[in-house]
Amino acid sequence: MQQPISENQAAIITLWYLVQHSLSTYYKLTDFFGHARNAITPANIAKWPLLKIHSSHIKRANKLNDAETQKILNLIFQSINTHCDFICTIDDDLYPTMLQPYNDKPPILFGQGNTALLNDPSIAIIGSRKSSKLGEKNSYDFSYYFAEKGYVVISGLAEGIDQAAHYGAVSHQKTIAVMATGIDITYPKHHDNLRRQILKNSGTIITEFLPQTKPLQFNFPRRNRLVSGMSISVVVIEAGLHSGSLGTAKIAAEQGKDVFATPGYIHDPLYEGCHELIREGATLIFHPEQVIEDSH
């Protein structure tokens, strides 16, 4: 069970709800008013239209003190108290320092498990959900090697390459799963056991999304920027041309991360994405030690 939610945290959660996870709107309001607690006072909510805030956010904010809105917020707070071991905001020491430089960092993270991993050196392992047995073996083996060397392995709790990566690091108690849902939801559902194994072995589960947030399509790219953002390097194990991993690799490159990719048989569509990344400048690797040697 996490510590009682402070007034500052409650204000951040409330504003995060009012803007429905909109990063640009959240930071526009906090930059103007100084803090979430100031942005949600009745007098300052009346000023939101001056900042050209979206009408749906303004409408929701104007109903902040209505019984229905308060009921929703109370359920959110109850769910946080029930499901979270910790929450951290950008002002907390717990907050991942690797995310601090980015303008699109989440204002709050909801988590379970081991907070110590949040600021340990981390390597992201990503790849296709529809993976081969060989790809999954490589993901597991690379992850096991990184964890054994003391690196935290970060991935997205998805099927395929992500799943193998988490299992590879779990025995060394060195994995973080970043979710695209609320902390109270596991997606895919059948990864409940994987999630339990991560927590049982001193791993960490985090999300920027409020409780009850479903796995909406546009949440996954947002999750992916955290997977790469928290890592010193990103390793793409196996990915087709249409894999979401290519989007993560692009985000990683924009963040200034080292991007690595494993090659495969040239006629195998499961590796077309990796080969394209290598053509575009990703470093070709065939052993995990090469990632450690080449990471900056």
Side-chain angles (χ1 to χ4, degrees), residues 65-84:
N65 292 314
D66 290 3
E68 185 59 30
T69 303
Q70 288 299 307
K71 180 181 177 182
I72 293 169
L73 284 169
N74 284 335
L75 288 173
I76 289 172
F77 289 129
Q78 286 174 24
S79 189
I80 291 168
N81 284 323
T82 299
H83 296 282
C84 287

Side-chain angles (χ1 to χ4, degrees), residues 102 224 228-229 233-234 247-259:
Y102 304 118
N224 294 345
S228 60
S233 300
V234 174
T248 309
K250 181 181 178 183
I251 293 169
E254 291 170 351
Q255 292 172 332
K257 308 291 183 179
D258 293 308
V259 179

Side-chain angles (χ1 to χ4, degrees), residues 84-136:
C84 287
D85 296 325
F86 63 90
I87 58 177
C88 59
T89 71
I90 52 176
D91 299 320
D92 297 330
D93 292 338
L94 207 58
Y95 193 90
T97 55
M98 292 290 284
L99 294 179
Q100 289 288 8
Y102 304 118
N103 292 330
D104 64 350
K105 60 183 174 287
I108 192 165
L109 291 170
F110 306 95
Q112 294 176 330
N114 184 7
T115 59
L117 298 186
L118 295 175
N119 284 294
D120 280 356
S122 304
I123 296 173
I125 293 184
I126 59 174
S128 294
R129 289 178 172 84
K130 295 179 179 178
S131 52
S132 68
K133 293 298 181 186
L134 177 60
E136 290 166 13

Side-chain angles (χ1 to χ4, degrees), residues 47 54 64 70 81 87 143 158 194 258 272:
K47 298 175 184 176
H54 195 281
L64 175 56
Q70 288 299 307
N81 284 323
I87 58 177
S143 178
L194 171 57
D258 293 308
E272 287 180 352

Side-chain angles (χ1 to χ4, degrees), residues 283-296:
T283 302
L284 184 154
I285 50 161
F286 50 85
H287 192 282
E289 185 60 33
Q290 295 165 331
V291 177
I292 296 171
E293 288 175 355
D294 292 357
S295 293
H296 299 99

Side-chain angles (χ1 to χ4, degrees), residues 24 45 79 130 169-170 189 208 218 226 230 256 272-273 289:
S24 59
I45 286 174
S79 189
K130 295 179 179 178
V170 97
K189 177 63 178 171
E208 69 182 298
F218 49 79
L226 300 185
M230 290 176 65
E272 287 180 352
E289 185 60 33

